[in-house]
Structures are given as C-alpha cells and as structure tokens.
Amino acid sequence: MKTVRTPDSQFENLPDFPFAAHYSEVPDGEDGSLRIHHLDEGRADGEIVLCLHGQPSWSYLYRHMIPVFVEAGYRVLVPDLVGFGRSDKPTKSSDYTYANHVRWMSAWLEGLDIRDANLFCQDWGGLIGLRLVAAYPERFARVVASNTGMPDGRGLPPEAAKAMWDVYEKIPVVQASELSRHFAAKDGPPGFFFWRKYCAESTDFNVGDVMSTLGSGMTAEIRAAYEAPFPSSEYEAGARQFPSLVPIFPDDVEIPTNKKAWESLAAYAKPFRTCFASDDPVTAGMQTVLENRVAGARDVDHIIIEGAGHFLQETHGPEVARAMIDFMQRYSSN
C-alpha cells in the first residue's frame, strides 16, 4: 500500500490550534503499518473524552471543544482518521473501505488500551465510532452521537438496489455550491446522491469548498487550516472516498455487517444521547433512529443545537462541549 504523509510545515501556525502531536502505529497487512496521529490534552488521569471527526475534516474541528473539556478536568483524545489530518494517507481510493477504517481504529483503540471513554462522534466519526461501540461496549462509558448514524439498509428491500443505482448513474456531477440546494430539495434524487458523486468524480473537489458549503461560514484563514492536510490531489483519496462507502444502497457489502453491529449497539444500555443540529440537511431525522433503537437512549434527554449546521463543532463548539459535560455529570455509566 502506497501512503503519503503531509509535511509538518503544513500544520505550522494554524489559528487556535496549539496542541501537541502524538503518534501510534497500527498494523496493516502482513508486514505493513500505518501511523495514526492524535491529540492528547488535559489531565493524564482524567476521565477520557474521545472525539471522532468525519469527512473531510480532521482533529482541527475540535479545537473549540478541547479547552472546555480540559478546564473541566477531563483527558481529551482526538485522533485523525487514516487519510486525514496528520495521519498516514493511502493514495489509492480502493485502499479505503468501511471495513478497513473500522479495523484501523479498532487497532488504535486497543493499542492505546482506551477504557471507560466518553465518545463524541459526528459524521463518519459516528459510522466508525458506533461500530466501535458495538464491538467494544465495555470500553465506552457513555456515547454522544451528533449528526451521524449507522445505516443498515433498514426499510429498503434488496430489489430496490437496481432502481436506486439507475437514478444515481444518471445524475450529473454538480459544483460544491449546488450541493446545499440538492440536500434541501423535497423532490428529485436524494441530496446525498449528488454529494457522493461530487466527491467521487468532480475535477474541482476542494476540502475548503466542502466545509464552507455545509454551513460553517468560515474565514479564509480557517478554511486554509482545514485544507492544510491536503496540499495536492495525491493526499485526497480518503477524503473523496468516504461518501462512496456509506451503505445507502441495499446491496452494499457492509449492510450485513452493520445489521450485525446493530444487534450489539441496540443492546448498549449505558447513557446514549443524540446531539444533532437544527439546520443540518445531511443527517436530519437520523437521531430518531438512534433514539428509538439504542437501549441507553431511552432514559436520557436528547438535544438539538439551534442554529447549527453539519459541522456544529466549528460553529457551536463550546456550547456542544458544555452540553456533553452536563450529560456526563448527570448520567452515571454504572
């Protein structure tokens, strides 16, 4: 597997990001390994808050939440998924599969021997993180799922796959500026189809465009920080591949695995909260599935962050962090 590492110079003098880099190796194949970067802030003996990002962001997304957790006495771990941030980046799209991402992060979780963690997961951080909770329920004390889910094809008969693929193949590759309109549309193909095709096929794919399009309202300086891990297209394979890995078609190879994972996740009885944004066009309604299916979600309160979009950590980070602290303090994991 060919990989690249973003030069350290790309991460110098990023605004509001004074955190030290930490690295660990996870096995990949018989003889290979991948380097995964993570942040590790706060008290070494503090209760762990584990934050998982999605696409196309990286640990920079949590810079406004980390100080709030640290001030409250927690230890905060924030890894960069493989293909993002300072972590290694395989250069072939085919190297990125849902199963590989779960395997890499499982090895990272076991390697650091993370226990009694409070998970905050958003976007692909949830698709991967909820699989980790299903596989290692004993390692997680509480879970906050934000703008995410774990699709398993529920409600879609297998015979629907061909019609869905026919629709997908016929839609055009649109500009990033048009994606929000397609997500908001009440008729026509699902907005996620356009999102998937843009990331997979657009010749104008740009991480900064994606972050801005989904409602972050960021300055040029902040946009550049999100673009920092991707100095050229050689580094973008993982960021472009993620939407194609979401098992939205009933014939997806990961549907059976996610169905099996749901058996464990549904039985997770420790405190489980949804913390969704009021204005996220990508994941609207997914919180209801989690609230209804996860055992630990039935006796806790769930919250909506008003005025927030898909990347609520960027726009409402301190508010989200304080809400999670309140959740952790009010709900015992025993």
Side-chain angles (χ1 to χ4, degrees):
M1 178 186 298
K2 180 185 177 183
T3 64
V4 291
R5 289 179 179 171
T6 305
D8 288 342
S9 58
Q10 289 288 116
F11 302 99
E12 294 176 356
N13 302 317
L14 299 183
D16 302 320
F17 200 69
F19 312 115
H22 301 265
Y23 298 97
S24 57
E25 298 281 333
V26 300
D28 187 73
E30 293 183 2
D31 301 313
S33 65
L34 290 169
R35 189 179 77 167
I36 293 182
H37 164 263
H38 68 275
L39 306 179
D40 188 344
E41 297 291 321
R43 290 173 41 185
D45 62 346
E47 190 175 353
I48 293 174
V49 175
L50 171 60
C51 300
L52 295 182
H53 70 83
Q55 184 244 6
S57 60
W58 56 290
S59 53
Y60 187 76
L61 181 64
Y62 287 98
R63 70 194 184 283
H64 297 313
M65 295 176 64
I66 293 170
V68 181
F69 291 133
V70 170
E71 185 177 355
Y74 292 92
R75 178 188 178 193
V76 191
L77 298 176
V78 191
D80 288 331
L81 299 177
V82 172
F84 297 83
R86 289 179 179 258
S87 291
D88 281 354
K89 300 174 179 64
T91 58
K92 290 184 179 179
S93 296
S94 58
D95 291 330
Y96 296 93
T97 65
Y98 195 162
N100 276 349
H101 275 292
V102 173
R103 178 169 57 84
W104 292 327
M105 293 312 297
S106 295
W108 180 83
L109 189 77
E110 291 181 357
L112 271 65
D113 195 23
I114 295 171
R115 298 177 182 273
D116 298 320
N118 296 283
L119 175 66
F120 183 95
C121 56
Q122 180 258 347
D123 190 82
W124 259 98
L127 274 81
I128 296 169
L130 296 177
R131 284 273 291 268
L132 296 180
V133 175
Y136 305 95
E138 73 283 356
R139 291 183 181 270
F140 294 93
R142 303 170 189 82
V143 176
V144 175
S146 179
N147 293 352
T148 192
M150 193 171 71
D152 64 349
R154 197 177 197 189
L156 291 173
E159 58 269 22
K162 183 181 184 303
M164 293 174 67
W165 277 111
D166 287 344
V167 171
Y168 176 78
E169 295 298 336
K170 292 175 182 177
I171 65 171
V173 179
V174 302
Q175 298 294 313
S177 59
E178 300 177 60
L179 292 170
S180 292
R181 176 172 61 83
H182 287 290
F183 273 118
K186 302 300 183 184
D187 54 5
F192 195 86
F193 281 17
F194 292 92
W195 169 243
R196 173 182 168 133
K197 183 161 280 195
Y198 164 77
C199 291
E201 301 180 24
S202 175
T203 58
D204 297 320
F205 176 82
N206 179 273
V207 168
D209 286 345
V210 172
M211 296 298 298
S212 299
T213 294
L214 292 180
S216 297
M218 62 189 60
T219 65
E221 190 179 30
I222 301 302
R223 173 180 170 134
Y226 280 111
E227 294 172 348
F230 312 102
S232 74
S233 59
E234 184 180 27
Y235 297 79
E236 294 177 343
R240 296 187 67 132
Q241 184 70 356
F242 252 154
S244 296
L245 304 182
V246 179
I248 57 173
F249 296 96
D251 59 349
D252 191 281
V253 66
E254 286 296 318
I255 290 290
T257 308
N258 271 11
K259 285 183 176 179
K260 185 66 176 178
W262 260 110
E263 295 177 10
S264 175
L265 184 64
Y268 183 80
K270 299 174 189 176
F272 187 108
R273 166 186 269 182
T274 62
C275 175
F276 275 53
S278 65
D279 302 329
D280 178 25
V282 182
T283 62
M286 291 185 185
Q287 70 269 36
T288 303
V289 175
L290 295 167
E291 291 164 16
N292 289 340
R293 295 182 70 179
V294 180
R298 293 168 193 156
D299 295 320
V300 306
D301 63 324
H302 303 282
I303 62 173
I304 297 293
I305 303 298
E306 294 296 335
H310 189 64
F311 297 107
L312 71 175
Q313 305 99 309
E314 174 65 32
T315 57
H316 294 68
E319 178 183 353
V320 174
R322 288 191 293 268
M324 184 170 180
I325 291 170
D326 175 70
F327 169 70
M328 292 186 291
Q329 293 177 346
R330 285 198 293 125
Y331 294 96
S332 170
S333 62
N334 297 323

